[in-house]
mmCIF file of all heavy atoms in Angstrom:
data_model
loop_
_atom_site.group_PDB
_atom_site.id
_atom_site.type_symbol
_atom_site.label_atom_id
_atom_site.label_comp_id
_atom_site.label_asym_id
_atom_site.label_seq_id
_atom_site.Cartn_x
_atom_site.Cartn_y
_atom_site.Cartn_z
ATOM 1 N N ALA A 143 49.759 253.762 233.902
ATOM 2 C CA ALA A 143 50.065 252.626 233.086
ATOM 3 C C ALA A 143 51.546 252.366 232.912
ATOM 4 O O ALA A 143 51.962 251.292 232.508
ATOM 5 C CB ALA A 143 49.381 252.775 231.717
ATOM 6 N N ALA A 144 52.351 253.381 233.216
ATOM 7 C CA ALA A 144 53.795 253.246 233.107
ATOM 8 C C ALA A 144 54.364 252.388 234.243
ATOM 9 O O ALA A 144 55.431 251.710 234.089
ATOM 10 C CB ALA A 144 54.489 254.604 233.114
ATOM 11 N N THR A 145 53.690 252.374 235.363
ATOM 12 C CA THR A 145 54.202 251.655 236.546
ATOM 13 C C THR A 145 53.296 250.548 237.027
ATOM 14 O O THR A 145 53.719 249.716 237.850
ATOM 15 C CB THR A 145 54.431 252.667 237.686
ATOM 16 O OG1 THR A 145 53.173 253.367 237.935
ATOM 17 C CG2 THR A 145 55.491 253.694 237.364
ATOM 18 N N ASN A 146 52.073 250.475 236.553
ATOM 19 C CA ASN A 146 51.125 249.434 236.977
ATOM 20 C C ASN A 146 50.893 248.480 235.846
ATOM 21 O O ASN A 146 49.928 248.646 235.051
ATOM 22 C CB ASN A 146 49.819 250.125 237.453
ATOM 23 C CG ASN A 146 48.892 249.192 238.109
ATOM 24 O OD1 ASN A 146 48.967 247.949 237.967
ATOM 25 N ND2 ASN A 146 47.907 249.729 238.875
ATOM 26 N N TYR A 147 51.678 247.426 235.789
ATOM 27 C CA TYR A 147 51.541 246.461 234.733
ATOM 28 C C TYR A 147 50.186 245.744 234.765
ATOM 29 O O TYR A 147 49.603 245.511 233.682
ATOM 30 C CB TYR A 147 52.704 245.440 234.792
ATOM 31 C CG TYR A 147 52.497 244.319 233.805
ATOM 32 C CD1 TYR A 147 52.620 244.568 232.398
ATOM 33 C CD2 TYR A 147 52.224 243.007 234.185
ATOM 34 C CE1 TYR A 147 52.453 243.547 231.470
ATOM 35 C CE2 TYR A 147 52.064 242.003 233.253
ATOM 36 C CZ TYR A 147 52.165 242.252 231.925
ATOM 37 O OH TYR A 147 51.966 241.268 230.976
ATOM 38 N N ASN A 148 49.713 245.422 235.939
ATOM 39 C CA ASN A 148 48.421 244.670 236.018
ATOM 40 C C ASN A 148 47.259 245.506 235.474
ATOM 41 O O ASN A 148 46.330 244.939 234.937
ATOM 42 C CB ASN A 148 48.177 244.302 237.452
ATOM 43 C CG ASN A 148 49.039 243.111 237.928
ATOM 44 O OD1 ASN A 148 49.393 242.287 237.083
ATOM 45 N ND2 ASN A 148 49.328 243.056 239.189
ATOM 46 N N LEU A 149 47.349 246.817 235.614
ATOM 47 C CA LEU A 149 46.291 247.689 235.026
ATOM 48 C C LEU A 149 46.258 247.505 233.521
ATOM 49 O O LEU A 149 45.160 247.349 232.971
ATOM 50 C CB LEU A 149 46.574 249.171 235.380
ATOM 51 C CG LEU A 149 45.712 250.215 234.720
ATOM 52 C CD1 LEU A 149 44.261 250.121 235.215
ATOM 53 C CD2 LEU A 149 46.265 251.620 234.918
ATOM 54 N N VAL A 150 47.387 247.553 232.884
ATOM 55 C CA VAL A 150 47.498 247.374 231.430
ATOM 56 C C VAL A 150 47.091 245.955 231.027
ATOM 57 O O VAL A 150 46.387 245.768 230.037
ATOM 58 C CB VAL A 150 48.903 247.713 230.943
ATOM 59 C CG1 VAL A 150 49.023 247.531 229.411
ATOM 60 C CG2 VAL A 150 49.318 249.166 231.335
ATOM 61 N N LEU A 151 47.577 244.983 231.748
ATOM 62 C CA LEU A 151 47.282 243.611 231.470
ATOM 63 C C LEU A 151 45.759 243.335 231.481
ATOM 64 O O LEU A 151 45.237 242.687 230.558
ATOM 65 C CB LEU A 151 47.932 242.702 232.497
ATOM 66 C CG LEU A 151 47.708 241.159 232.324
ATOM 67 C CD1 LEU A 151 48.206 240.694 231.000
ATOM 68 C CD2 LEU A 151 48.369 240.384 233.449
ATOM 69 N N ASN A 152 45.054 243.926 232.452
ATOM 70 C CA ASN A 152 43.638 243.776 232.510
ATOM 71 C C ASN A 152 42.876 244.523 231.375
ATOM 72 O O ASN A 152 41.888 244.050 230.894
ATOM 73 C CB ASN A 152 43.126 244.231 233.827
ATOM 74 C CG ASN A 152 43.382 243.273 234.949
ATOM 75 O OD1 ASN A 152 43.417 242.083 234.749
ATOM 76 N ND2 ASN A 152 43.649 243.784 236.178
ATOM 77 N N MET A 153 43.484 245.611 230.938
ATOM 78 C CA MET A 153 42.926 246.334 229.753
ATOM 79 C C MET A 153 42.956 245.362 228.567
ATOM 80 O O MET A 153 41.977 245.282 227.789
ATOM 81 C CB MET A 153 43.692 247.574 229.430
ATOM 82 C CG MET A 153 43.546 248.702 230.381
ATOM 83 S SD MET A 153 44.503 250.162 229.836
ATOM 84 C CE MET A 153 44.222 251.283 231.191
ATOM 85 N N VAL A 154 44.069 244.723 228.387
ATOM 86 C CA VAL A 154 44.223 243.806 227.215
ATOM 87 C C VAL A 154 43.290 242.604 227.372
ATOM 88 O O VAL A 154 42.583 242.208 226.439
ATOM 89 C CB VAL A 154 45.665 243.314 227.098
ATOM 90 C CG1 VAL A 154 45.805 242.306 225.939
ATOM 91 C CG2 VAL A 154 46.599 244.491 226.842
ATOM 92 N N ARG A 155 43.211 242.024 228.593
ATOM 93 C CA ARG A 155 42.316 240.900 228.787
ATOM 94 C C ARG A 155 40.852 241.279 228.606
ATOM 95 O O ARG A 155 40.079 240.416 228.112
ATOM 96 C CB ARG A 155 42.508 240.408 230.245
ATOM 97 C CG ARG A 155 43.821 239.602 230.468
ATOM 98 C CD ARG A 155 43.991 239.253 231.933
ATOM 99 N NE ARG A 155 45.168 238.417 232.117
ATOM 100 C CZ ARG A 155 45.687 238.139 233.322
ATOM 101 N NH1 ARG A 155 45.169 238.672 234.370
ATOM 102 N NH2 ARG A 155 46.699 237.299 233.418
ATOM 103 N N ASN A 156 40.491 242.489 228.904
ATOM 104 C CA ASN A 156 39.134 242.935 228.791
ATOM 105 C C ASN A 156 38.734 243.309 227.389
ATOM 106 O O ASN A 156 37.527 243.537 227.130
ATOM 107 C CB ASN A 156 38.853 244.067 229.749
ATOM 108 C CG ASN A 156 38.778 243.620 231.217
ATOM 109 O OD1 ASN A 156 38.337 242.525 231.474
ATOM 110 N ND2 ASN A 156 39.246 244.480 232.162
ATOM 111 N N GLY A 157 39.701 243.433 226.485
ATOM 112 C CA GLY A 157 39.321 243.707 225.100
ATOM 113 C C GLY A 157 40.002 244.895 224.393
ATOM 114 O O GLY A 157 39.614 245.234 223.252
ATOM 115 N N MET A 158 40.986 245.530 225.017
ATOM 116 C CA MET A 158 41.668 246.642 224.328
ATOM 117 C C MET A 158 42.413 246.184 223.079
ATOM 118 O O MET A 158 43.222 245.213 223.171
ATOM 119 C CB MET A 158 42.616 247.322 225.305
ATOM 120 C CG MET A 158 43.442 248.452 224.693
ATOM 121 S SD MET A 158 44.473 249.344 225.881
ATOM 122 C CE MET A 158 45.782 248.137 226.217
ATOM 123 N N ASP A 159 42.171 246.780 221.953
ATOM 124 C CA ASP A 159 42.846 246.469 220.700
ATOM 125 C C ASP A 159 43.935 247.491 220.367
ATOM 126 O O ASP A 159 44.856 247.148 219.584
ATOM 127 C CB ASP A 159 41.844 246.464 219.562
ATOM 128 C CG ASP A 159 40.735 245.466 219.778
ATOM 129 O OD1 ASP A 159 40.979 244.251 219.736
ATOM 130 O OD2 ASP A 159 39.602 245.898 220.029
#
Side-chain angles (χ1 to χ4, degrees):
T145 54
N146 188 341
Y147 173 68
N148 284 332
L149 172 68
V150 179
L151 179 61
N152 285 327
M153 288 182 185
V154 177
R155 285 174 173 167
N156 287 327
M158 177 174 72
D159 302 290

